[in-house]
Amino acid sequence: PVEPQPPRVPFKYLGYFGPKDDKIAVFEDSKEIVLARAGDVLRDQFKLVEIEYESAVIGYTKPEFANKTQKLTMSRR
């Protein structure tokens, strides 16, 4: 059987700001700006796992995708 695939992450990672130990990530979602810290849940189905220098790691809140993540590279315009 084919393993179910997690939903597509709709965000573009724009970067982060704040001190090293309390970073706030900045995302764009359909022209809306979304701010989040590591551990925050976004749109009820995504979880910000880690904020890195040029990327953000997104996980999923649904148990069937608990071990899956996606790395979003910083969007360059």
Side-chain angles (χ1 to χ4, degrees), residues 9 19 22 39 43 54-55 61 63 70 75:
V9 176
D22 192 26
R43 302 289 187 257
E54 290 193 0
S55 61
T61 58
Q70 183 176 342
S75 179

Side-chain angles (χ1 to χ4, degrees), residues 16-24 37-38 50-53:
Y16 72 89
F17 64 93
K20 185 171 139 180
D21 59 343
D22 192 26
K23 298 176 192 169
I24 299 171
R37 288 184 168 91
E50 185 177 359
I51 302 169
E52 299 175 348
Y53 182 68

Side-chain angles (χ1 to χ4, degrees), residues 13 15-16 25 27 48 50-57 71-74:
Y13 178 58
Y16 72 89
F27 299 95
L48 179 54
E50 185 177 359
I51 302 169
E52 299 175 348
Y53 182 68
E54 290 193 0
S55 61
V57 179
K71 185 177 275 197
L72 302 179
T73 303
M74 190 181 304

Side-chain angles (χ1 to χ4, degrees), residues 12-77:
K12 288 182 183 177
Y13 178 58
L14 302 179
Y16 72 89
F17 64 93
K20 185 171 139 180
D21 59 343
D22 192 26
K23 298 176 192 169
I24 299 171
V26 182
F27 299 95
E28 180 182 24
D29 178 19
S30 300
K31 304 207 184 212
E32 180 181 343
I33 298 298
V34 177
L35 304 177
R37 288 184 168 91
D40 286 355
V41 174
L42 309 167
R43 302 289 187 257
D44 296 323
Q45 60 182 331
F46 305 103
K47 183 175 182 177
L48 179 54
V49 176
E50 185 177 359
I51 302 169
E52 299 175 348
Y53 182 68
E54 290 193 0
S55 61
V57 179
I58 303 290
Y60 301 89
T61 58
K62 291 187 176 183
E64 62 264 33
F65 306 125
N67 295 324
K68 296 195 180 276
T69 60
Q70 183 176 342
K71 185 177 275 197
L72 302 179
T73 303
M74 190 181 304
S75 179
R76 305 204 190 277
R77 291 185 172 196

